[in-house]
């Protein structure tokens, strides 16, 4: 197993639909506003406001680790942490390597949200949506880079798979973050219920294999 790698990114492009959806808008309305089919000047103004507020607070960082993959007698992937997930088994079928990663946009957005929760709950809600969208866009950017690198070597990637999805428990994040040295490099810690701090952080697994 190699040592973890570390990347810093410039701010990725915004996904207005996802920012609105994470701010509490139904998906259909969020899409309509983002495409201009629904006029909502208040929502657009709020997204622009929180983007401006959050801009100086965000840092886009990723820690990752490549791990050779094998499977046990029942076909479950053997990973450097205990798990027995049918969902992950299906996702990683046919893969020979996994990439474990943690991504965060930092603690600054959490401090900003807490400040506005005391004075302006509506702005705080949009800041929550902005932070969530920023973290997901960072993951999307990293995932595309991994897919491009894999394809240049004749390999293919599976969609990223996060703890807490399907039947992969959140508890695996404890081992995940230790493997990645994420507390030291990214400042990510876990609470008692395995929720990460900073809150706008993501852990995930990307499978790599020879078959598309």
């Amino acid at each position: 197993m190699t040592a973890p790698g570390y990347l810093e990114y410039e701010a990725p492009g915004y996904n207005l639909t996802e920012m609105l959806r994470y701010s509490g808008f139904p998906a259909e309305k969020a899409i309509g506003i983002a495409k201009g089919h629904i006029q909502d000047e208040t929502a657009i103004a709020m997204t622009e406001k929180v983007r401006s507020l959050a801009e100086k607070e965000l840092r886009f960082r990723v820690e990752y680790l490549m791990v050779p993959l094998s499977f046990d007698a029942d076909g479950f992937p053997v990973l450097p942490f205990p798990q027995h997930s049918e969902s992950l088994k299906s996702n990683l079928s046919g893969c020979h390597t996994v990439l474990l990663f943690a991504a965060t946009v930092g603690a600054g957005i959490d401090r900003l949200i807490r400040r506005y929760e005391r004075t302006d709950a509506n702005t705080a809600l949009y800041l929550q949506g902005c932070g969530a969208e920023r973290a997901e866009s960072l993951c999307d950017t990293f995932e595309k880079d991994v897919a491009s690198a894999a394809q240049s070597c004749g390999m293919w990637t599976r969609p990223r798979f996060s703890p807490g999805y399907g039947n992969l428990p959140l508890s695996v994040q404890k081992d995940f973050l230790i493997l990645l040295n994420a507390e030291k490099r990214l400042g990510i810690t876990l609470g008692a219920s395995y929720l990460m701090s900073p809150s706008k952080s993501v852990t995930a697994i990307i499978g790599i294999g020879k078959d598309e």
Side-chain angles (χ1 to χ4, degrees):
M1 189 184 302
T2 59
Y6 174 79
L7 293 171
E8 292 191 13
Y9 280 87
E10 297 294 326
Y14 278 90
N15 185 323
L16 181 57
T17 298
E18 290 301 282
M19 188 183 299
L20 290 167
R21 190 173 67 82
Y22 285 123
S23 298
F25 284 78
E28 186 175 347
K29 186 173 183 180
I31 293 169
I33 294 171
K35 291 187 174 181
H37 303 321
I38 298 174
Q39 299 300 313
D40 192 327
E41 294 180 2
T42 300
I44 295 298
M46 285 298 296
T47 57
E48 292 175 353
K49 173 184 175 180
V50 300
R51 283 171 59 173
S52 178
L53 287 170
E55 184 176 358
K56 294 180 181 179
E57 305 293 339
L58 298 166
R59 290 185 63 196
F60 301 89
R61 297 175 295 156
V62 177
E63 191 91 6
Y64 63 93
L65 181 67
M66 300 285 290
V67 180
L69 182 63
S70 60
F71 294 85
D72 66 18
D74 296 316
F76 287 95
V78 178
L79 296 170
F81 49 81
Q83 57 78 38
H84 205 71
S85 168
E86 289 281 356
S87 303
L88 186 60
K89 173 183 176 181
S90 176
N91 179 272
L92 296 180
S93 176
C95 294
H96 55 69
T97 304
V98 292
L99 187 148
L100 313 177
F101 78 91
T104 186
V105 296
I109 187 71
D110 286 347
R111 292 191 293 268
L112 195 59
I113 290 167
R114 289 194 295 270
R115 186 192 315 164
Y116 276 89
E117 282 176 339
R118 296 191 292 268
T119 60
D120 186 344
N122 193 42
T123 297
L125 180 62
Y126 276 87
L127 282 167
Q128 289 278 8
C130 178
E133 184 279 332
R134 295 287 71 200
E136 289 298 317
S137 286
L138 171 60
C139 291
D140 290 343
T141 300
F142 176 69
E143 188 173 10
K144 288 176 183 176
D145 287 349
V146 173
S148 178
Q151 288 174 23
S152 70
C153 299
M155 305 296 177
W156 298 89
T157 57
R158 305 290 187 267
R160 68 178 183 263
F161 196 102
S162 287
Y165 182 78
N167 60 347
L168 183 66
L170 275 175
S171 58
V172 304
Q173 290 193 138
K174 180 178 179 180
D175 297 297
F176 223 99
L177 296 177
I178 291 172
L179 285 163
L180 291 169
N181 200 20
E183 182 173 357
K184 180 178 180 180
R185 296 296 295 272
L186 303 180
I188 299 176
T189 59
L190 281 182
S193 55
Y194 301 108
L195 297 180
M196 289 181 287
S197 178
S199 67
K200 307 313 178 191
S201 303
V202 177
T203 55
I205 301 164
I206 299 175
I208 302 171
K210 293 182 179 180
D211 298 323
E212 183 175 2

